[in-house]
Amino acid sequence: MRRDIPGGPLLKSPVFSSIPDMLSTASSRVPDKTFVTEPTHNDSWRSISYGEMQERVEKLARAMLKRRQKPVVGVVGRNSIDWYTVYLATLRSGGVVVPIDRQLSIPEMHTILHYSGANMFFFDEDYGEEIVPDLGESVKKCDTYVMNATGPTGPPHLEDLVASADPKVDLPLSYDRDAPASICYTSGTMGQAKGVVLSQNNLLSDLWQVLQFLDLRTDDVFLSVLPVHHTFEGTGGFLLPIARHASIVVCRGLRYIADDLVESQATVMLGVPLLWEAMYKRIEAGIRAQLGGGIYYRVGMLLSAAAEKLAGRNIRKKVFGPVHEKLGGRTRLLISGGAGIDPEVVAGYEKLGFTFIQGYGLTECSPIVSVNRETANRLGSVGPLLPKMEGRIEFPDEEGVGELWVRGPNIMSGYHENPEETAKVLTEDGWFKTGDFAYIDDDGFLFITGRKKNVIVAKNGKNVYPEEIETILGRSDLLMESMVFGMESEAKGEEIWAILVPDLDRFIERAEARGESLQPGQVVEAMRSVVRDYNGSQPPYKRIRSFMVREEELPKTTTRKIRRREVMREAGLEREPTYNP
């Protein structure tokens, strides 16, 4: 398969025989270089070098193999040196790692351990009080170990297991790259969770392709913000740095991102749209809050736009130098994934002199399918398909929009022990049905319009994408977030409804500035105004018919995606399934 890829020649990408080989190569070439720096419980930092991590991984892999012939290892906890060690040691032993979402309930964790067949389970000390007293049958079959321990606990510590390593235990000399290496579960209980089976070949091929697109460097420092159990961070923020012998600094938390960018001198950061949009709003507010900030912002934009034609894009970074300094001064690449982002936010970062790259992927694809390049970065697009990926649009409408199907070496082999669900998304000739509506423009850039399961079918038969409406609504500074959905109407088709979460802090701030107290009716009227403004800019079939106002933040996954079904249930708009006796 050959095709013209926008952005010029592909970059040279390293080839590795396995993920353990990737770490071994880094440790032999840069043994003393810092691999990971993490915050500690006493407000300090600790680091581990590539050489030290290699030694630790080898010991833990031997200890695993002494206890289990084929380790199947569940791991749940914060991004940490211990978490990374367990993941890498499991693959070094030839076992299968099962990353678990740390926001899941204990019963959900037990469900995943049961369905994956895990025989070892590593969890953060924080979970000990809940997990240990409530050991289900699934966990009782596992050897359990505590990570990031600060004191004595029931189960043995990870460090105890590392120290018990027997040097006589042989480690694999090679690996079956097509065998399961990781099982990544979607959330769900009572058998609803689906385990995405990824091989080392899947993961390595994704890394190899991404490195042909993005100029990631040995001196890069990645600030790790997203949860590493999710494949976007797992591949992009954990494995990619190893492939480039770069460094990782674990962020202390969302509220510390700006401080940690400064302290770590990070150059690369991965984030999801809600994170980037919130950061951009704070940057804008910070500029405008300064004396003459609004004028400075507008003049800066005009001067940099004019000077860019003569001096190149770096002039924007100089014009808005104070903004860059507040984010560390070295940040050179911001990468967004996990969901669609407002193109105006992307344009805003670019105008401030940041290189902002949007990509697209799914866990079933290891996960990256496409990503913009610094040399080919089209606004609103998620970039060209990766070099070895094929894509096609199934059943396109008159605008060329249809379901995206993809095929390539990074596609999963299937869902773990679930052939029925696998058959629903994987064709016999290897095409994966993404469940996303999309189109590909004449230059090969992919544009995602929305999730197939979320699409609203209007009365005129046209498809309406909730994500598009949510993006437009989100541009209001009075709105914190929104969720748009379809409700069946008495006539044929669906009506567009929305649940709106106002930014109450902004309302209170404005009321106090006027010397008034905030009245409940003012919020509803303001939300009505937001909806009317939106409706006035849209054709009839895209207009919001009804809306609800919610004070609390919408429930989300650890990657900041809205839990739509949970929101609907809480609003009384969706009932739990019922069954006949």
Side-chain angles (χ1 to χ4, degrees):
M1 178 196 67
R2 298 187 65 180
R3 72 176 197 273
D4 292 330
I5 297 175
L10 299 178
L11 301 172
K12 186 176 181 181
S13 181
V15 177
F16 301 100
S17 63
S18 65
I19 291 174
D21 173 51
M22 196 164 70
L23 176 63
S24 176
T25 300
S27 68
S28 63
R29 292 181 180 175
V30 288
D32 299 324
K33 183 177 180 179
T34 299
F35 172 31
V36 181
T37 301
E38 68 174 5
T40 66
H41 69 282
N42 58 0
D43 296 326
S44 61
W45 298 85
R46 74 160 179 157
S47 299
I48 189 169
S49 69
Y50 271 103
E52 291 167 336
M53 178 60 90
Q54 174 69 12
E55 181 181 355
R56 198 166 187 251
V57 164
E58 296 270 313
K59 287 182 177 179
L60 182 55
R62 285 191 166 90
M64 287 177 170
L65 285 173
K66 189 170 183 178
R67 285 154 181 80
R68 298 289 180 175
Q69 184 176 1
K70 179 73 173 181
V72 179
V73 180
V75 56
V76 61
R78 61 181 173 84
N79 297 12
S80 66
I81 291 171
D82 280 4
W83 197 103
Y84 300 145
T85 302
V86 171
Y87 182 102
L88 293 168
T90 303
L91 297 190
R92 181 67 182 96
S93 74
V96 179
V97 64
V98 185
I100 299 175
D101 185 342
R102 63 178 185 262
Q103 281 193 353
L104 293 180
S105 66
I106 301 302
E108 286 175 314
M109 292 183 191
H110 290 172
T111 298
I112 288 174
L113 293 170
H114 168 72
Y115 280 104
S116 66
N119 51 35
M120 304 186 85
F121 183 35
F122 293 78
F123 53 90
D124 272 356
E125 183 181 56
D126 300 346
Y127 296 98
E129 293 183 2
E130 297 180 78
I131 290 178
V132 176
D134 189 28
L135 288 174
E137 289 303 315
S138 302
V139 186
K140 288 177 182 177
K141 298 175 184 177
C142 296
D143 299 331
T144 56
Y145 300 94
V146 176
M147 302 185 298
N148 297 306
T150 58
T153 54
H157 295 179
L158 168 63
E159 297 305 325
D160 298 330
L161 187 58
V162 172
S164 72
D166 184 351
K168 298 188 182 69
V169 174
D170 292 327
L171 293 173
L173 299 177
S174 61
Y175 303 89
D176 179 356
R177 287 180 31 150
D178 293 319
S182 176
I183 305 176
C184 305
Y185 274 83
T186 60
S187 60
T189 57
M190 298 175 64
Q192 296 171 10
K194 292 181 291 188
V196 176
V197 179
L198 300 175
S199 66
Q200 290 204 46
N201 188 58
N202 292 147
L203 295 165
L204 288 168
S205 66
D206 209 43
L207 294 170
W208 180 74
Q209 293 177 83
V210 171
L211 288 172
Q212 289 184 301
F213 268 29
L214 299 183
D215 181 23
L216 299 174
R217 306 165 187 171
T218 301
D219 62 351
D220 273 326
V221 177
F222 286 68
L223 184 67
S224 180
V225 178
L226 303 177
V228 71
H229 76 268
H230 194 278
T231 49
F232 178 35
E233 177 70 18
T235 297
F238 170 41
L239 297 179
L240 268 179
I242 300 175
R244 273 290 182 241
H245 312 163
S247 299
I248 300 169
V249 175
V250 178
C251 183
R252 289 174 292 171
L254 295 178
R255 71 178 70 176
Y256 299 107
I257 289 175
D259 292 340
D260 287 355
L261 280 169
V262 173
E263 186 161 351
S264 68
Q265 292 291 283
T267 58
V268 181
M269 178 175 150
L270 279 65
V272 292
L274 281 176
L275 172 62
W276 293 124
E277 288 163 4
M279 282 183 61
Y280 184 67
K281 284 183 177 180
R282 287 197 294 270
I283 291 171
E284 272 197 317
I287 293 173
R288 297 182 189 282
Q290 298 174 5
L291 185 62
I295 297 174
Y296 162 71
Y297 181 77
R298 290 191 295 272
V299 171
M301 287 295 180
L302 290 171
L303 288 176
S304 59
E308 188 175 36
K309 297 176 181 178
L310 299 174
R313 61 170 291 122
N314 284 336
I315 191 67
R316 292 186 182 273
K317 190 170 184 178
K318 294 178 181 178
V319 171
F320 294 102
V323 175
H324 287 260
E325 288 303 317
K326 286 187 176 181
L327 297 179
R330 294 188 68 232
T331 308
R332 68 175 193 86
L333 192 58
L334 306 178
I335 304 173
S336 182
I341 188 170
D342 185 352
E344 290 191 6
V345 172
V346 178
Y349 277 106
E350 291 280 339
K351 289 175 181 176
L352 290 171
F354 294 97
T355 299
F356 196 100
I357 298 291
Q358 185 181 8
Y360 164 76
L362 304 99
T363 301
E364 289 89 343
C365 303
S366 304
I368 303 165
V369 170
S370 68
V371 65
N372 277 292
R373 307 174 65 187
E374 293 175 72
T375 52
N377 192 4
R378 182 155 295 178
L379 188 64
S381 167
V382 293
L385 294 170
L386 294 180
K388 294 296 183 182
M389 292 295 292
E390 299 175 75
R392 74 189 201 203
I393 304 298
E394 284 291 303
F395 312 112
D397 61 18
E398 65 273 12
E399 296 176 348
V401 176
E403 185 181 4
L404 174 67
W405 289 16
V406 293
R407 182 168 65 178
N410 43 311
I411 304 297
M412 68 168 184
S413 59
Y415 296 118
H416 180 59
E417 296 184 351
N418 198 336
E420 294 82 7
E421 291 298 320
T422 299
K424 292 178 183 179
V425 298
L426 271 181
T427 67
E428 291 184 0
D429 54 350
W431 287 97
F432 173 67
K433 306 172 186 179
T434 67
D436 285 311
F437 280 119
Y439 68 92
I440 300 174
D441 71 11
D442 293 339
D443 296 320
F445 286 89
L446 177 64
F447 291 78
I448 304 297
T449 59
R451 287 293 289 170
K452 183 178 179 180
K453 65 182 179 181
N454 296 337
V455 72
I456 301 167
V457 181
K459 292 179 182 179
N460 62 359
K462 288 184 175 292
N463 288 343
V464 179
Y465 305 102
E467 296 88 347
E468 177 186 342
I469 300 175
E470 291 163 2
T471 294
I472 297 172
L473 292 174
R475 293 170 185 167
S476 169
D477 62 352
L478 298 177
L479 197 64
M480 180 182 293
E481 57 186 344
S482 65
M483 191 187 91
V484 175
F485 55 95
M487 286 292 289
E488 287 291 339
S489 63
E490 293 181 5
K492 186 179 179 181
E494 293 179 287
E495 293 179 345
I496 300 173
W497 285 33
I499 295 176
L500 308 179
V501 182
D503 188 339
L504 293 179
D505 288 340
R506 180 64 59 90
F507 277 98
I508 293 170
E509 179 184 307
R510 291 187 175 185
E512 290 178 345
R514 297 191 302 266
E516 303 172 355
S517 60
L518 179 63
Q519 301 299 315
Q522 294 173 331
V523 175
V524 175
E525 281 305 309
M527 294 297 97
R528 183 175 284 115
S529 178
V530 168
V531 172
R532 285 175 175 169
D533 287 345
Y534 163 78
N535 283 348
S537 67
Q538 300 296 315
Y541 75 93
K542 283 189 175 183
R543 292 174 185 168
I544 296 171
R545 181 66 182 269
S546 300
F547 70 92
M548 305 169 69
V549 177
R550 173 186 169 119
E551 292 186 7
E552 300 85 9
E553 180 180 346
L554 299 174
K556 300 179 186 68
T557 67
T558 48
T559 52
R560 308 298 292 166
K561 289 183 180 179
I562 295 170
R563 295 184 182 272
R564 292 179 178 267
R565 291 191 63 186
E566 187 175 330
V567 175
M568 296 287 282
R569 283 198 296 268
E570 289 180 358
L573 299 173
E574 181 176 302
R575 295 183 357 178
E576 293 289 348
T578 59
Y579 307 94
N580 294 326

